[in-house]
Structures are given as C-alpha cells and as structure tokens.
Amino acid sequence: MSKYARISLMICLLFFAFGIQVLADGIIIPIPPRPPTPTPPLRSLAIKYHHVTVTIQDQVVTTHVDQVFVNESGHDLEGEYLFPLPADASISRFALWVDGVPVEGRVLDRDEARDIYEDIVRQQRDPALLEYVGHNAFRAHIYPIPAHGERRVELEYEQVLQADQGLLRYTYPLSTEKFSTRPLEEVRVTVDIRSREALKAVYSPSHPIEVDKDDHTAQVRYSDEQVVPDRDFVLYYTVGAEELGANLLSYQPDGEDGFFLLLLAPPATAETEELVARDVFFVLDTSGSMRGEKLQQAKAAARYVLDNLNPEDRFNIIAFSSSTRHYARGLQPASDVRGARQFIQELEAGGGTNIARALEETLAQTSDERPQVLVFLTDGLPTEGERDAGKIIARVSEIAGENVRLFTFGVGYDVNTMLLDALAQNHHGTGSYVRPEEDIESAVSSFYEKISKPVLADVALDFGRVQVEDVYPYPLPDLFAGGQLVVVGRYRQGGSAILTLSGTVNDERVAYPFPNVRLQTEADSSQATDFIPRLWATRKIGYLMSQIQLHGAEDELIDEIIDLSVRYGIVTPYTSFLVDETEDALTSEGRRELVERELAAPPADADGRAALAAAPQSGEGAVEKSITQNLLREAEV
C-alpha cells in the first residue's frame, strides 16, 4: 500500500473510531496531497451554509441537504465528503455542483468506484462518486476543491419513522462544532409534516422552532446565522384520534429519581361551543410617556384583542393615567366592538401613572362566573396614588379571585419589573416585555393569538399510584386550541400508571384519562430522552430565580440554583460568578455576597418586603434579567 493510500485510510479510520464526531452533518475531510505539496490542516474547509428541507408524509421521511463548503487554503484540495445516516435510511440523490450545474453521483461497486475516482483525479476533473463506507455512513470523493473556492453538495435520503403509541421522533445530525473553521453564515431547517391522523403536539427539545399547524399538517422552521451548531436537530410530534393528546417521555438515571416530560395538545381548531367563555379586560396606560408611536401601537394591539374575542366572551377597556377612563360601566358582549373601537381611537396620552387605581377598578368588575383575563400594558413606574410595589401586589392579591389570569406587558425600560412579574406570577399569567426597538402591536397580538381560544381551564394532573413532584410550569396554565403544554417533573419510581388530566369547561369539571402511560425505570431508560433532566433543571432554576426576585436571596435558594447550574451546565445571571476561582467565591458566605451584590438587594426581612423594594427594579438591566428569568421558567429547549 502506498504512503498516500495509508494516510488516506488512516484519516477515515480515525474519523469513524470517534463515534461522537460521526454524529455530525455532512463534512469534507481534506486528504493530504502527494508530496511535495504541503499537507493541509484538517480544518482547511469551512461550511458556508447548511440548508435542510424535510418532508414527512405520514411516517415516510425525505430529507434533502444542501451545503456549501469553502476552501480557505491557498491551494487546491482533494477531499472526502462523509455523512452519517440513520440505520434504515437509503440515499436517493447525491450531486456536486460544478460551474453552476449539478453533477449527479451514482452508487458503484467499491472497486469500480475507486478505479474511476483515481483515474479522474489523475486527469484533474471534478468527480463526485458516492460509495458506502462503514456502517450507516456514506462517502463521496471530491477533487479538486479550488483554492479559496467553493463546492456545493446536495444529498437526499429517505427513511421510515417508527411510531410509539402515537409519538414519532425525527433526528437530523446537525453538529458541526468540530469541523468548520468558522461559524456558518446560515443554518436553516424546514420540516413539512402531513398526516392522515390528527396532529397533536409538535415539539423540539434541541432548538427553538416556529410552528404553523392545523389538524393534519404542520410546518416547522428553525434558522440561525453566524452560528456553530453543537447539537443534533431533534423533533417530536404526536398523532392520534383522541380529542386531547397526551404523550409522556421519561428518563431515570442510575440511582436517582426519574424525570418526565409530558406533551399535552388539544385539537388545532375548536367549535364555538367547545370554547371556554371568558371576561377580557384590556387595561391600557395612556400617561404622557405613551405619547406618539407607542400609543398608536398600543391602540392597534387593543383593536386586535377586540377583533379576536369569541362569541360568548365579554369585555371592557380601561385606559389609565392619573385617573381612569372606562369604555363602559360594566362588561359588554363581544358583539359590541364597534363603539369600543371608536373609544380606542379617541384615547390621548397625558398625565401620570396610577397603576394601583387602574388595577383596583378593573378587578372590581370581575366575577366568579368564568375565567377573568386582564391584559395590562404600561410603560412606566407608578407615579401617582399608591407607589409602593409591595403594597400594590398585596392589594391585588387581596381582591383578585382565583379565576383571574393577569398578563402584564412592560413597554420600554422605565418599568418596575418586580411589580409586573409578581402580578403575573401570582395570578396565573405571564410577564412580557417590549424593548424600545420592538413593536407593541406585534408583541401583544402574537401573545393573544396563543390564548384566544381556551378549551380547558384550571388544569390539573394526577398520575395515580406514581408519586410525582417538582412539576413545572407551576401553577399549570390553561389549555388553548392550536397550542400545547410542555410539562416537566420528577417521579419516585417508574412503571405503568394511569394519567388523568382534568379541568373546567364553562363551570363543568371534565376529566381525560390516559391509562397506557409508562414511566421508565433505570433498566429501560433510553439515551434518546436523556435531555429531560437538563430541561427540568432549567425550568426549576427559572422558578427559583423568580422566588429570589420576589422574596429575597435566601441561602437555600442560592445554594440550590448553584448546585443545579453546576450539575447540569446551565448559565444564569445569578451564577455567572462561578468563573471566579478565589477561595471566597467558593464558600457559602462568598456565594451569598456575590449574589446579593448582583441583585443589589439587602437581605430580605421576615416578610420579604425589603427585596420587593430593592434596586434595581427598573432600567435596562432589570428588564433584561426578567426576560432571561421568564425564558428559563418557560424553557422548552
């Protein structure tokens, strides 16, 4: 065997010897040239872009890969394109683009392919011959890859997904961290799903995705720029004929309690009589600081809410500044939106910000008959009436019923994040923030679209004989048509269980049993679900951070955040100080001092009010910290 052949073979063997590196998208490994040309570095080739288009028809998958490689060296390279494949996949197309034209590859006998390839290399022509290499991987020989030039490669393969009680899992090997000399300019994955059975949940634990879904089709999109992908793209979706879909994933490490992830998905559409009737209040800040474009965007957001009321809903609009102005003296039917639109149009900005009065007067109109939804939007701190955040929070808790859902929107940086987050978290809602450069109408309309069609309120879960704990989100939110709920938690002992999902629909309690649920044991846990512990830890850290924000930096909370962060590798604003290797930073006292310094808060007193009044509660840093905290609390990736 020639020296050149031995070096080439060694590169291939090294590549396949390290299994973790095989789990990457297609790469080109440069082959060392024959002397006297200098040997190129292994990382001479960068990936310019990586586009993946996936079509799933029922369970049959076609994956199309389009990549451009850039030769950053000063001389032509010979390379081997290597791509790992699922065990049951088959290549249907491979092409190398030359001068804008795709040159199709074909599967050949190994000896025939090698002879042809060597002949083409000697003639310095462009080959792209695909041959099977090892187990579940394909190799294409490519020459030349011109100095400072590009080569575009397309690959297409097919496979069949296996369904497990209506749950299907698709994986695309996207990791390029070890092989690209620089970040990719663009990564894009698009998945089109078509199913004869009704689609339920569509979920990715690996990447943030956008999903457009109806009852039988879904389009999933992930994209990023200037990124070095470091994990495979994983997508779960569920199908079934039942009214409400529930699928359980679980993982139990050796010697520990287990972790579970539950996907709950109602139908994408719902009939009018299936929707939960609600009372909706849009509470809008019209103080002087809202003057101009902000108020115009807020008005458009209010009109969007009006236009998306359900037939049985009732509503009112409360504008507030130094005083309040109500559209009507009481709740109005959803059919009466014409006058409300005119009311919104005539609103003008001026005066101070009396948050306490606006909330008290709004809550005075609520009832116990049905869910009460408050969409509260402000761009400022309380400047009139009650200004103490702790007292405002206490007063709202005193007069708000259990059926109040309070959703807050802080516009800009001059808002009290402590106040807004506490109002939302204490009353079954979420806190959102609109940065100065962002559009208010877009933020509110996107949010309201998700909660516009409630199908189950007061959601509760019961696992029968299996003991579960540390469940997040806490408390569980309502379920909405076209949406889904991702729940994570811990369990003591695996095995079969009967899961019951219950809730209310227009004052009637309903229950959905799922008798064929199994929680994994240590013996049968799968590596495919080993992401669940980290997802659970991420959500728990977000919850603990919110408790510190609201009640002060207690030692137990700080220690638990640090322990979870270190164990699961999760970076948070409160644990970034762990990079400090001084002895003091590793002691309990040192950790507390650093956390409190970052929070700029004194130790909380007995009832936690000192923390509520502590700075910083407003400003860009406070808003960004609240956004991060809420992302952790609601993490799905």
Side-chain angles (χ1 to χ4, degrees):
M1 181 182 292
S2 68
K3 178 180 179 182
Y4 165 76
R6 287 196 300 271
I7 294 174
S8 178
L9 177 60
M10 184 178 297
I11 290 176
C12 291
L13 291 176
L14 284 172
F15 179 80
F16 287 104
F18 297 98
I20 190 171
Q21 295 189 4
V22 173
L23 291 176
D25 60 287
I27 63 166
I28 295 179
I29 293 185
I31 296 175
R34 299 171 176 83
T37 308
T39 300
L42 186 61
R43 291 173 175 257
S44 299
L45 290 167
I47 302 172
K48 182 177 181 180
Y49 72 68
H50 189 150
H51 296 166
V52 184
T53 304
V54 184
T55 302
I56 305 177
Q57 179 68 55
D58 294 316
Q59 295 172 234
V60 179
V61 186
T62 300
T63 301
H64 181 268
V65 185
D66 184 356
Q67 293 175 270
V68 168
F69 296 85
V70 181
N71 178 4
E72 296 186 331
S73 70
H75 46 77
D76 292 355
L77 291 179
E78 175 183 2
E80 291 188 329
Y81 177 78
L82 294 159
F83 191 95
L85 289 170
D88 58 346
S90 60
I91 291 284
S92 56
R93 180 173 182 260
F94 176 82
L96 172 72
W97 286 74
V98 180
D99 298 328
V101 178
V103 179
E104 296 288 340
R106 55 194 177 101
V107 180
L108 303 175
D109 172 84
R110 182 183 298 273
D111 293 335
E112 180 188 7
R114 172 58 61 184
D115 292 342
I116 296 174
Y117 172 70
E118 293 287 359
D119 182 61
I120 292 175
V121 169
R122 284 191 292 271
Q123 300 177 44
Q124 295 212 353
R125 293 165 52 196
D126 289 272
L129 303 175
L130 186 68
E131 59 178 301
Y132 182 69
V133 178
H135 295 289
N136 308 323
F138 281 84
R139 179 176 70 187
H141 300 288
I142 299 174
Y143 180 84
I145 308 168
H148 304 295
E150 298 180 352
R151 276 291 178 259
R152 179 182 174 193
V153 174
E154 284 189 285
L155 178 75
E156 190 169 277
Y157 62 91
E158 297 175 347
Q159 65 186 114
V160 177
L161 300 181
Q162 300 300 314
D164 181 6
Q165 295 185 351
L167 178 70
L168 297 99
R169 182 180 191 265
Y170 170 79
T171 301
Y172 178 78
L174 190 59
S175 173
T176 60
E177 181 178 18
K178 299 182 183 298
F179 306 112
S180 184
T181 60
R182 53 181 168 83
L184 280 66
E185 294 181 13
E186 182 185 34
V187 177
R188 186 171 69 225
V189 180
T190 303
V191 184
D192 285 304
I193 304 172
R194 305 183 186 95
S195 173
R196 284 176 292 183
E197 290 189 89
L199 278 174
K200 301 299 182 182
V202 180
Y203 166 68
S204 172
S206 61
H207 293 78
I209 58 174
E210 296 179 4
V211 180
D212 292 327
K213 183 173 76 75
D214 58 28
D215 285 332
H216 293 276
T217 64
Q219 184 177 74
V220 179
R221 296 178 298 277
Y222 161 71
S223 63
D224 209 341
E225 297 178 351
Q226 298 301 319
V227 63
V228 179
D230 60 357
R231 69 192 65 181
D232 293 343
F233 177 84
V234 179
L235 184 71
Y236 287 94
Y237 70 95
T238 65
V239 297
E242 62 274 3
E243 180 180 353
L244 194 151
N247 292 86
L248 189 72
L249 301 171
S250 57
Y251 180 78
Q252 186 171 21
D254 291 343
E256 292 186 44
D257 289 347
F259 301 81
F260 72 84
L261 181 148
L262 177 64
L263 300 174
L264 295 170
T269 58
E271 300 297 330
T272 300
E273 60 271 15
E274 297 173 332
L275 298 176
V276 176
R278 305 180 297 174
D279 294 337
V280 180
F281 301 86
F282 196 95
V283 188
L284 173 61
D285 187 346
T286 57
S287 60
S289 57
M290 285 289 292
R291 187 175 289 110
E293 182 65 21
K294 281 198 290 188
L295 184 58
Q296 296 307 311
Q297 291 180 7
K299 287 181 178 182
R303 288 192 290 267
Y304 182 90
V305 171
L306 290 178
D307 292 341
N308 286 273
L309 293 170
N310 298 315
E312 298 303 316
D313 288 346
R314 300 179 301 198
F315 77 96
N316 205 349
I317 300 168
I318 297 90
F320 72 95
S321 54
S322 299
S323 59
T324 59
R325 184 182 177 193
H326 299 230
Y327 164 61
R329 298 183 67 178
L331 288 160
Q332 302 299 303
S335 56
D336 181 25
V337 296
R338 183 174 180 179
R341 293 178 67 90
Q342 183 64 33
F343 172 82
I344 293 170
Q345 183 63 33
E346 294 173 354
L347 291 176
E348 296 181 357
T353 308
N354 196 332
I355 289 176
R357 180 174 177 179
L359 290 171
E360 284 199 43
E361 292 189 7
T362 301
L363 290 168
Q365 300 180 44
T366 60
S367 70
D368 297 329
E369 299 176 9
R370 51 171 77 179
Q372 309 289 290
V373 176
L374 276 66
V375 181
F376 181 82
L377 187 150
T378 182
D379 78 330
L381 304 168
T383 59
E384 297 196 20
E386 181 57 70
R387 303 182 188 182
D388 183 273
K391 291 181 180 179
I392 295 174
I393 293 167
R395 178 58 178 158
V396 170
S397 295
E398 180 184 337
I399 60 178
E402 284 295 318
N403 59 340
V404 168
R405 283 91 167 106
L406 209 168
F407 301 93
T408 61
F409 284 86
V411 178
Y413 296 134
D414 191 22
V415 293
N416 188 314
T417 58
M418 188 84 70
L419 171 62
L420 298 182
D421 288 344
L423 290 173
Q425 292 171 29
N426 292 346
H427 302 285
H428 308 281
T430 56
S432 302
Y433 294 90
V434 185
R435 298 180 178 93
E437 69 276 10
E438 295 175 337
D439 184 84
I440 300 171
E441 178 190 0
S442 176
V444 175
S445 60
S446 176
F447 149 79
Y448 195 77
E449 173 69 22
K450 297 175 183 177
I451 69 158
S452 61
K453 300 188 181 302
V455 293
L456 194 66
D458 304 317
V459 174
L461 291 170
D462 183 88
F463 282 80
R465 67 175 186 84
V466 176
Q467 185 172 349
V468 301
E469 54 196 23
D470 261 354
V471 176
Y472 303 100
Y474 176 81
L476 293 173
D478 298 341
L479 274 177
F480 304 93
Q484 62 189 36
L485 179 57
V486 178
V487 181
V488 294
R490 304 293 305 267
Y491 61 91
R492 293 282 181 88
Q493 190 172 8
S496 298
I498 298 176
L499 170 65
T500 303
L501 171 69
S502 61
T504 58
V505 179
N506 296 326
D507 288 334
E508 181 182 350
R509 196 71 186 172
V510 296
Y512 300 90
F514 300 93
N516 298 318
V517 168
R518 178 171 177 77
L519 293 152
Q520 301 293 323
T521 62
E522 292 180 17
D524 56 13
S525 282
S526 166
Q527 189 175 1
T529 56
D530 64 1
F531 67 89
I532 300 176
R534 192 166 188 263
L535 178 61
W536 170 85
T538 301
R539 287 197 173 186
K540 180 160 187 175
I541 286 173
Y543 174 78
L544 294 173
M545 285 170 58
S546 69
Q547 296 306 298
I548 286 180
Q549 182 191 33
L550 298 179
H551 306 298
E554 297 293 336
D555 284 329
E556 293 83 359
L557 299 181
I558 296 169
D559 289 340
E560 192 165 8
I561 288 177
I562 292 170
D563 291 343
L564 290 169
S565 299
V566 172
R567 180 174 184 180
Y568 295 100
I570 301 167
V571 178
T572 77
Y574 300 149
T575 55
S576 58
F577 65 82
L578 287 174
V579 298
D580 188 336
E581 297 178 0
T582 64
E583 184 177 350
D584 286 345
L586 301 179
T587 65
S588 177
E589 294 77 9
R591 292 198 302 266
R592 180 180 178 83
E593 179 182 350
L594 287 163
V595 170
E596 288 180 354
R597 187 186 310 158
E598 184 168 343
L599 292 174
D605 57 17
D607 61 6
R609 292 188 180 182
L612 290 174
Q617 296 181 21
S618 63
E620 181 175 357
V623 168
E624 294 299 333
K625 185 170 289 186
S626 282
I627 291 173
T628 300
Q629 170 184 297
N630 291 334
L631 287 173
L632 290 169
R633 281 168 52 90
E634 302 165 11
E636 294 189 0
V637 175

